[in-house]
Amino acid sequence: MECSEKYREKDKEKYSEANYETDNGKSGKKYGILKRYFGYDQFREGQEKLIDCILAGKDVLGIMPTGAGKSLCYQIPALMMDGITLVISPLISLMKDQVSSLNQAGISAAYLNSSLTVNQYYKALQYASQGRYPIIYVAPERLLTESFLDFALHAQIAMVAVDEAHCVSQWGQDFRPSYLKITEFIEKLPRRPVVSAFTATATKEVRDDIIDLLMLQEPYVKTTGFDRSNLFFEVQSPGNKYETVREYVSNHRTESGIIYCLTRRFVEEVCEKLTKDGFQVTRYHAGLSDAERRSNQDDFIYDRSRIMVATNAFGMGIDKSDVRFVIHYNMPKNMESYYQEAGRAGRDGEPARCILLYSGQDVVTNQMFIDQNRDNQELDPVTRELVQERDRERLKKMTYYCFTHECLRDYILRYFGEYGSNYCGNCSNCLTEFVETDVTREARAIVSCVKSCRQRYGMTVILDTLRGAKTAKLRKYRMDESSCYGICEDVPIYRLRQIFNHLLIENYLTLTNDEYTLVKLTEKSGELLEEDTVLTMKMARERRPEPKKNTEKKKGNTAGTLLDEKDEPLFERLRTLRMQIAREEKVPPYIVFSDRSLVHMCILKPKDKAEMLQVNGVGEHKYSKYGERFLEEINRAV
Ligand code: ADP
Ligand code: MG
Ligand code: ZN
């Protein structure tokens, strides 16, 4: 162990050399590390206090939304504490990504998980016990293995940082039994290290579970705002979801995005259509082999496929920071899932879009998932009943999100217990003017039609009948002879659909849950047919205007906000250079430099090292690796 101490001493010295001032005049080690290794001048909300507490030897729990910067909260103290920091992380891909980010920044770190061969694993452990790594990522399943324990018991462990800490809770959506082993591991250590935990899940049950199950000792708990102001939220109920998607992606040709679907079948379908239509897409769901999932995920991360079509199996562990849009092809099961998935857009802080495409069928599918209850088979009947009830309640709130006329951001924040302003100006509702509209005639027509066909058909047949469509299906069902045929000829189809959705949500109609989704009447349906009933609903006055200028720009330069049109060629050149370097280094492009850094370079047009170091995300280490190549490219262009 002697030599290991020396290594460590030397390493820590190296990191503490970073003890110099940042641009905003703050000095001190942690600022030095922030600037030198990560290239940032300021801490974001919550980071500094969490770091300070850790350094003071206190346990902490940081609850911050996706993209807020939780990793820095343990990485910076890890470089300053005396001893090794173990980071527990649930997913292999996540560890790999974080470790290569750290290595790119000039920090030695390693991961220990099942993706290593036995030889690699023992080599890494050997280096670890020589103290080469201040930060080691480890899979929870490894903790209690003989070889790892042997290492840990002889090393000086300064901190155990538990990332994605909600995985310890059965209430969370990603419960991992192996997380329960963490405390057992900590108890075996000769000296209890600082324990820090981080998650983006804000509910009280999960928070309490984390504190209890990880046995945090009088932790400092920091919850930062859940608002992600760079995200534009939007809900649509399009008649043809695929068309909507196709149009969107063809208008945003250079952007990276994720399309989430509720089922594998949808994933296959959407992916196939997009491929046929000439887009670079890949797919991800639990039905694919491990190898294919891994390779598709890499294609997306390394920008070889710019669109990922996936079920919710994809995402945790994806730190790709330049995802510009997340489209939900179906409504997910609850707001927690929605915000987590949508939140994978715009982690770099640049404007990004979150679009949810709603249809009534999504509610039915989700209800079916809840009824089947696959996830909770190990629970006892009483608990299972409780969980199901809770899930139905959550689904309801998710559905309301799709129908609210209030600010969408406000709705989300209130769901997570925060109070926003009622107007954000950056969501589809804030940009739409709603008017209270009398829809009695249409509503009555819909209900009459359902009644007259004896509740035997689905929504399409009903609406087509009302519109007087000339389809073979209608002729087959003889709906073209119905008294309702064509009585809403004058109403646009999207409007009829909106009214239909309104009737569902207000329980005037319901959908069945079987192989075919049929429209059925409810106890309330009759009310609509009474003579003096008037039904009104809020409807958009006209087509939605495009969002605020600065939220998006025609080109996919991803940072329309700041980038001048005349700088776009330079931006493209820098992007090409970044791609080239990424290939050489075998890392994803965004790990070399983020889009934001590239945009910042286009604006500043740095001429020398000092100016280059002013660029957001350019630290000493990255400068020494790539700085000059970027300087050259800029000078050549300017
Ligand atoms: P999460 O909270 O989701 O784990 P990450 O730790 O992955 O978020 O950080 C998200 C992004 O924010 C990363 O690209 C990271 O480099 C960046 N980031 C973190 N802290 C800062 C900061 N103080 N200033 C600027 N960018 C930051
Ligand atoms: Mg994280
Ligand atoms: Zn809003």
Side-chain angles (χ1 to χ4, degrees), residues 65-68 225-233 339 342-349 409 413 426:
T66 308
F226 263 64
D227 188 15
R228 301 272 313 278
S229 58
N230 60 319
L231 301 185
F232 180 88
F233 289 98
Y339 202 48
R344 303 207 164 103
R347 292 172 75 121
D348 52 11
R409 173 170 275 101
L413 293 180
N426 196 26

Side-chain angles (χ1 to χ4, degrees), residues 5 24 48 124 134 174 213 248 288 335 593 627 631:
E5 290 304 319
N24 63 0
E48 186 166 14
D174 311 300
L213 297 174
Y248 188 86
L288 303 174
M335 291 296 294
F593 279 128
L631 273 179

Side-chain angles (χ1 to χ4, degrees), residues 67 70-71 74 94 98 163-164 319 347:
K70 291 183 284 292
S71 329
Y74 55 80
L94 193 123
Q98 297 246 328
D163 205 1
E164 313 288 352
D319 280 352
R347 292 172 75 121

Side-chain angles (χ1 to χ4, degrees), residues 15-273:
Y15 298 115
S16 43
E17 275 168 28
N19 192 359
Y20 60 64
E21 289 201 359
T22 58
D23 288 350
N24 63 0
K26 302 257 181 153
S27 57
K29 252 183 220 169
K30 62 180 183 238
Y31 282 98
I33 293 175
L34 181 69
K35 177 71 183 162
R36 176 168 191 158
Y37 291 99
F38 298 96
Y40 303 130
D41 285 322
Q42 280 164 354
F43 284 110
R44 290 195 184 147
E45 189 195 350
Q47 287 179 328
E48 186 166 14
K49 185 73 201 278
L50 283 162
I51 292 173
D52 287 345
C53 286
I54 291 173
L55 290 173
K58 245 179 119 52
D59 286 359
V60 304
L61 169 56
I63 303 172
M64 299 153 99
T66 308
K70 291 183 284 292
S71 329
L72 277 194
C73 300
Y74 55 80
Q75 288 166 348
I76 289 185
L79 299 180
M80 299 168 67
M81 293 163 96
D82 203 9
I84 297 170
T85 288
L86 297 177
V87 184
I88 319 287
S89 176
L91 289 180
I92 289 174
S93 59
L94 193 123
M95 298 187 198
K96 193 173 145 207
D97 207 52
Q98 297 246 328
V99 167
S100 37
S101 273
L102 287 170
N103 291 341
Q104 285 294 314
I107 296 163
S108 45
Y111 55 84
L112 300 173
N113 61 35
S114 58
S115 76
L116 302 179
T117 63
V118 175
N119 275 343
Q120 287 170 326
Y121 180 73
Y122 281 101
K123 192 96 197 158
L125 263 189
Q126 189 196 340
Y127 285 163
S129 35
Q130 290 169 357
R132 290 208 189 177
Y133 310 118
I135 303 176
I136 298 171
Y137 282 74
V138 55
E141 296 80 12
R142 291 269 148 175
L143 291 173
L144 295 175
T145 61
E146 204 176 315
S147 55
F148 187 78
L149 269 179
D150 186 49
F151 151 72
L153 295 182
H154 295 98
Q156 188 183 345
I157 310 293
M159 166 161 62
V160 172
V162 185
D163 205 1
E164 313 288 352
H166 60 276
C167 290
V168 78
S169 168
Q170 300 223 25
W171 294 106
Q173 14 179 6
D174 311 300
F175 173 57
R176 281 176 191 249
S178 57
Y179 262 56
L180 294 169
K181 292 181 184 159
I182 297 173
T183 38
E184 198 182 327
F185 167 76
I186 291 173
E187 277 168 359
K188 287 189 193 298
L189 295 175
R191 225 186 67 204
R192 185 182 183 278
V194 174
V195 182
S196 59
F198 299 88
T199 178
T201 305
T203 57
K204 187 176 173 330
E205 292 103 333
V206 172
R207 188 191 59 196
D208 291 348
D209 262 4
I210 293 174
I211 295 176
D212 291 347
L213 297 174
L214 292 179
M215 300 210 272
L216 301 185
Q217 295 180 359
E218 298 172 22
Y220 165 71
V221 181
K222 175 71 190 175
T223 310
T224 64
F226 263 64
D227 188 15
R228 301 272 313 278
S229 58
N230 60 319
L231 301 185
F232 180 88
F233 289 98
E234 175 169 11
V235 178
Q236 294 183 23
S237 317
N240 186 337
K241 289 185 178 187
Y242 178 72
E243 250 331 284
T244 310
V245 165
R246 200 190 55 79
E247 198 182 315
Y248 188 86
V249 296
S250 56
N251 287 334
H252 298 81
R253 288 216 165 246
T254 60
E255 296 183 0
S256 235
I258 306 174
I259 300 169
Y260 275 112
C261 304
L262 212 43
T263 62
R264 292 177 200 179
R265 195 174 56 83
F266 275 119
V267 170
E268 292 294 340
E269 191 184 304
V270 174
C271 184
E272 197 185 307
K273 284 183 178 167

Side-chain angles (χ1 to χ4, degrees), residues 407-408 424-425 427 430:
C407 171
L408 293 174
C424 75
C427 76
C430 281

